[in-house]
Amino acid sequence: MSRKGVSRRRFVTAGGAALVAGLAGCSQSSGSGASTDGKSSGETVKIGVLEDRSGTFALNGTPKWQASKLAIEEINADGGIDGAQIELFDPDPQSDNSRYKQLTRKMIQQRGVDALWAGYASSTREAIRPIVDRQDQLYFYTTQYEGGVCDKNVFAVGPTARQQLGSVLPYLREEYGPKIYTIAADYNFGQLSADWVKVLADENDAEVIGEEFISLDTSQFSSTINNIQEADPDFVMSMLVGKNHTAFYKQKASAGLDVPIGTSTAMAQGYEHRRLEPPAMENIYAGVNYMEEIPSESNTRDGGFVDRFYEMFPDAPYINEEAQTNYFSTYMYKKAVEQAGTFEQPEVKEALESGISLGPEHAPEAPEGGSIELDGATHHVDHHMWVMKADAEHNVEAVKDEKIPEKFLSETVGCDLTQEDEETQYTPRDYFEEAE
Amino acid sequence: MVNGLNLAFQYLQQFSVLVLAAVGLAIIFGIMGVINLAHGEFIMVGAYATVFGYHDLGLPLLASMGLAVVVTAAFGFVVERLLIKRTYGRLFDSMVVTLGLSLVLSQGMLVLRGTSEPSIPTPFGTITYGAFSQSLYKVALALVAVGVLAVVYWLFTQTAYGVRARATIQNEEMSRALGVTTERVYSQTFAIGSALAGLTGALLAPLVSVNPTMGGTYLVKSFVVVVVGGPSVVLGTGLSGGLLGAVDAGVTYFYDQTMGSIVLLVVTVFVIRFFQDGITGFVERARDRLAAEGA
């Protein structure tokens, strides 16, 4: 009897609390709504940045977070976006996907952020994408990735596998020959990247003669090294990921494996050429849109991107590929807001979809060189891609560069987000027989 | 096609990593009954001390490895005095305490040294045969693993400390009554176990990427070896490292790494199911039975 009473009272209390929380939520969201359409000085624009500064991806996430801070500080010092100062929310998600989900909900529902940057791994993006889509949140994903995300709320502004591998694989085919051995991390990114290697091999008259997937916690590579030696390829394509896999480069050097290696992951993200003792990275070719060493004008000149970054973070070890993407995408967002004349997310998305470009005439926003364009239909970027080669002393030089548009979603899939709302990730297996 | 030399090198590497990772844990568990869930982090501390000696102090590699052993032994001694000694006889409490310690150590190292360490070159060069080549360091590693087992055997059978330690395992109260300071035996044993974890970290530092969370990789492996090995520290670790190393290397060679890890765990489950005290427990019981039949 009394138990029933308690439970009823509890129910009422809980209901009351929920009601209050609901009201608070409303008032908060209307508060952020008020801030979004105001442009007078003293107003703020709220930006959420979730990047890993601890846990598995801390090494890759920290420079991303730093670059976001740099862009925000520069924009604020320059008068903000349309007169509004940027207010930054940046808790550390600690490379933990459940924490990512929790913080994403908090950013959207409680903080009412006007734009969200979040996540390093593809698995993280896929973990939070349903939340982002349910709330129609404007979201920038800035890591280089396997490609194929056609989503009305997601702006995947890093280069895709087709862009990264599409710059380095043809170069190595030309230089060394047609036989390829693929080694890749065993999760969605690695599997899909390996499929892309097969598609690109077919397009470039090459052949994948061996393929190996390696779990993220593996750090002993002697059997892999023997397998490569046995297969005797002309070059290896490596999509290894994370700190355990770093040991591969070390071990292949100490085992005397000297086949050239093309990669979309090594050096540009985890700066292995700085961390490992030479000659571990000798003869490794990275297909990237950015590295600290690319000889672009806005990168190398005095007071350029590299100088400004280290002025703000003198102890930072490296400016990785994703750091640049966080940096220019913040400027891309600024430009879109100014074009839209409001912070309201549907209007800003529309402005982004009108095709925004950054480049020499708008320096300093695109340190990767030349000009880059956001493709409104696919929400991806036509990047300036580089092939960077490391020598025996780990000096890195550019051996090739070209502008590569995102072609999979635009040409193969026909994704057009300006015409139709979608929330799909397409894979090469859906479209290419070679990928199977 | 099977390449015998590749398989042999693969085996040497798995064997030495398993034995080295497990021997410190086996001593601490076998003698003190403490399950040290921070064992992987002790290995991590050893690897960091080696990197610190080599890069920050500019010591030669061998001296840096020596430094790592000294540092982890001292570290283990302090940890035992401050934390572990309060949990003796309470198995689950010791597990919770050491689990907490492992979290503090890995996160503390992240705060202290950042996300990654500069690498250490792998010594001893390369051996080439046909289309294949291997790092000679792996051979050295296997020799050291066997050497470590020999030294541990000598320590427990030929020294006064060894006699006191074995007396303490067999009957702690009786040993105390006979004048053995069991407290001191415990702190010495924990320091020795820690030093061996430090040595493991030092020896692995030139092979793997040194980072704050590397310990987790070795904890499971070393537990599996200790459980399969059973009560005898030296013989158990050696036999179980030999058996599991062969399983892991063989399956990895013919299939892949993931399958190697799966089969390793399946074999472990079978061994524990059918020989509940591990390999050496089985051997001991068989010997007792034979002795009983003879009598």
Side-chain angles (χ1 to χ4, degrees):
Chain A
M1 199 54 206
S2 70
R3 261 170 62 190
K4 218 173 184 177
V6 168
S7 79
R8 190 181 299 147
R9 192 164 65 220
R10 267 201 191 145
F11 173 74
V12 171
T13 324
L19 194 67
V20 171
L23 284 173
C26 283
S27 69
Q28 236 167 4
S29 66
S30 72
S32 77
S35 82
T36 54
D37 48 26
K39 286 185 290 174
S40 61
S41 61
E43 293 282 0
T44 59
V45 48
K46 293 175 182 167
I47 283 182
V49 174
L50 300 176
E51 300 291 5
D52 305 312
R53 278 164 280 151
S54 57
T56 314
F57 298 120
L59 187 83
N60 314 78
T62 307
K64 297 180 78 178
W65 170 73
Q66 289 168 325
S68 282
K69 299 261 285 184
L70 174 65
I72 289 168
E73 180 155 298
E74 284 179 6
I75 291 170
N76 277 346
D78 200 37
I81 301 180
D82 250 0
Q85 289 285 301
I86 298 172
E87 193 182 344
L88 171 67
F89 299 109
D90 59 346
D92 178 5
Q94 300 170 0
S95 313
D96 175 349
N97 283 350
S98 62
R99 212 174 139 77
Y100 260 108
K101 289 195 232 174
Q102 185 193 336
L103 287 170
T104 301
R105 278 191 207 102
K106 188 175 164 188
M107 286 286 155
I108 302 173
Q109 290 167 354
Q110 292 176 24
R111 301 290 187 190
V113 293
D114 297 298
L116 177 71
W117 276 255
Y120 172 75
S122 286
S123 50
T124 303
R125 181 196 68 238
E126 290 309 301
I128 64 171
R129 204 151 64 86
I131 304 170
V132 163
D133 283 327
R134 215 174 299 132
Q135 308 279 341
D136 279 328
Q137 171 66 43
L138 170 57
Y139 166 51
F140 290 91
Y141 177 63
T142 53
T143 309
Q144 64 85 21
Y145 84 114
E146 68 278 6
V149 171
C150 174
D151 187 313
K152 61 186 196 295
N153 296 302
V154 180
F155 287 81
V157 288
T160 62
R162 198 169 181 53
Q163 287 169 303
Q164 302 228 131
L165 303 172
S167 74
V168 68
L169 191 148
Y171 178 82
L172 291 171
R173 161 74 184 91
E174 204 61 31
E175 291 285 309
Y176 296 103
K179 288 188 291 169
I180 306 172
Y181 193 99
T182 301
I183 49 177
D186 197 3
Y187 71 113
N188 57 351
F189 167 77
Q191 298 275 359
L192 292 173
S193 293
D195 289 346
W196 276 119
V197 169
K198 285 189 240 169
V199 173
L200 288 160
D202 185 63
E203 287 175 2
N204 289 278
D205 195 20
E207 188 196 354
V208 176
I209 58 167
E211 195 177 51
E212 206 170 311
F213 295 100
I214 294 156
S215 74
L216 284 169
D217 56 7
T218 295
S219 59
Q220 310 285 352
F221 289 91
S222 41
S223 71
T224 305
I225 290 166
N226 285 152
N227 292 342
I228 295 171
Q229 287 173 326
E230 190 158 13
D232 193 25
D234 295 317
F235 63 97
V236 169
M237 288 302 298
S238 158
M239 279 73 65
L240 297 178
V241 174
K243 54 196 170 187
N244 287 326
H245 285 184
T246 304
F248 167 75
Y249 299 104
K250 233 172 124 128
Q251 289 171 17
K252 69 101 187 150
S254 68
L257 176 73
D258 57 1
V259 57
I261 298 179
T263 178
S264 63
T265 51
M267 299 204 291
Q269 302 184 62
Y271 48 98
E272 285 82 358
H273 58 301
R274 299 283 181 88
R275 285 159 51 219
L276 301 185
E277 202 83 9
M281 305 306 284
E282 183 180 5
N283 245 347
I284 291 187
Y285 297 78
V288 300
N289 68 324
Y290 184 80
M291 273 176 79
E292 205 177 291
E293 291 87 350
I294 60 161
S296 75
E297 201 271 331
S298 54
N299 211 28
T300 50
R301 80 180 136 78
D302 281 344
F305 178 57
V306 175
D307 285 356
R308 292 197 305 278
F309 186 93
Y310 283 112
E311 198 178 312
M312 187 163 172
F313 301 101
D315 298 328
Y318 193 71
I319 311 171
N320 68 359
E321 183 176 25
E322 275 82 22
Q324 191 242 188
T325 311
N326 275 49
Y327 182 80
F328 80 66
S329 56
T330 311
Y331 274 96
M332 209 165 237
Y333 173 69
K334 174 181 190 282
K335 214 170 165 187
V337 169
E338 286 170 354
Q339 191 178 313
T342 172
F343 295 118
E344 290 294 347
Q345 295 187 22
E347 281 82 0
V348 176
K349 274 179 213 162
E350 213 167 281
L352 284 165
E353 282 172 3
S354 75
I356 295 242
S357 73
L358 297 172
E361 69 272 30
H362 315 290
E365 300 100 327
E368 70 187 54
S371 68
I372 56 175
E373 286 86 35
L374 182 65
D375 176 31
T378 60
H379 292 191
H380 282 61
V381 171
D382 296 347
H383 278 286
H384 191 107
M385 302 301 301
W386 301 76
V387 177
M388 304 296 287
K389 177 194 179 179
D391 68 13
E393 279 81 47
H394 287 189
N395 298 313
V396 177
E397 61 162 346
V399 292
K400 180 182 146 189
D401 69 289
E402 62 184 320
K403 181 82 165 284
I404 303 187
E406 193 292 318
K407 279 187 283 199
F408 176 50
L409 286 174
S410 55
E411 288 178 11
T412 313
V413 176
C415 157
D416 189 351
L417 293 159
T418 58
Q419 300 301 316
E420 198 180 342
D421 282 351
E422 278 201 66
E423 297 169 4
T424 322
Q425 177 167 21
Y426 295 95
T427 66
R429 287 187 186 215
D430 305 335
Y431 294 90
F432 297 94
E433 268 176 35
E434 308 83 57
E436 281 168 23
Chain B
M1 201 181 70
V2 182
N3 185 310
L5 270 175
N6 282 356
L7 194 56
F9 274 107
Q10 187 81 32
Y11 174 66
L12 282 184
Q13 168 154 348
Q14 303 293 358
F15 168 78
S16 42
V17 169
L18 288 175
V19 165
L20 287 169
V23 66
L25 190 77
I27 289 176
I28 291 173
F29 178 64
I31 291 177
M32 304 171 64
V34 169
I35 294 184
N36 181 15
L37 291 178
H39 183 70
E41 279 64 37
F42 279 70
I43 293 177
M44 182 269 292
V45 168
Y48 267 83
T50 311
V51 172
F52 183 78
Y54 187 81
H55 284 291
D56 298 46
L57 303 180
L59 298 174
L61 184 58
L62 213 58
S64 309
M65 289 178 167
L67 175 78
V69 174
V70 174
V71 165
T72 44
F75 182 68
F77 184 80
V78 172
V79 166
E80 196 274 342
R81 289 285 85 191
L82 289 178
L83 290 176
I84 310 293
K85 73 164 184 181
R86 295 165 210 279
T87 67
Y88 286 139
R90 308 204 306 262
L91 187 67
F92 292 109
D93 295 11
S94 75
M95 286 170 72
V96 173
V97 165
T98 50
L99 176 66
L101 180 66
S102 78
L103 296 174
V104 170
L105 284 177
S106 61
Q107 291 300 314
M109 201 56 98
L110 178 70
V111 172
L112 206 65
R113 299 276 300 189
T115 50
S116 162
E117 289 295 308
S119 73
I120 290 177
T122 317
F124 300 139
T126 306
I127 177 175
T128 309
Y129 48 98
F132 303 100
S133 50
Q134 296 278 356
S135 159
L136 271 177
Y137 187 68
K138 283 179 202 160
V139 181
L141 215 55
L143 292 178
V144 174
V146 173
V148 164
L149 287 179
V151 169
V152 171
Y153 180 77
W154 169 81
L155 189 69
F156 283 100
T157 54
Q158 309 294 318
T159 65
Y161 157 77
V163 173
R164 286 198 296 269
R166 282 183 295 140
T168 309
I169 313 176
Q170 287 201 337
N171 192 330
E172 191 189 341
E173 282 179 12
M174 181 60 80
S175 316
R176 264 211 303 274
L178 291 171
V180 176
T181 324
T182 53
E183 272 211 344
R184 192 191 299 158
V185 170
Y186 281 149
S187 51
Q188 283 169 338
T189 306
F190 200 82
I192 290 171
S194 307
L196 288 171
L199 176 69
T200 307
L203 290 167
L204 289 172
L207 271 183
V208 301
S209 114
V210 175
N211 60 66
T213 50
M214 65 185 280
T217 322
Y218 301 104
L219 184 71
V220 175
K221 278 187 181 159
S222 49
F223 260 104
V224 166
V225 173
V226 171
V227 169
V228 169
S232 164
V233 172
V234 174
L235 196 64
T237 310
L239 283 177
S240 126
L243 169 72
L244 299 176
V247 170
D248 195 353
V251 179
T252 301
Y253 181 85
F254 290 109
Y255 295 92
D256 58 26
Q257 296 250 346
T258 313
M259 194 52 89
S261 308
I262 291 172
V263 174
L264 187 72
L265 286 178
V266 170
V267 168
T268 307
V269 169
F270 271 95
V271 170
I272 297 171
R273 174 65 188 81
F274 293 108
F275 313 124
Q276 278 159 18
D277 298 322
I279 304 175
T280 53
F282 174 75
V283 171
E284 245 167 52
R285 266 213 307 276
R287 202 171 51 196
D288 289 349
R289 209 168 38 234
L290 279 179
E293 277 168 14

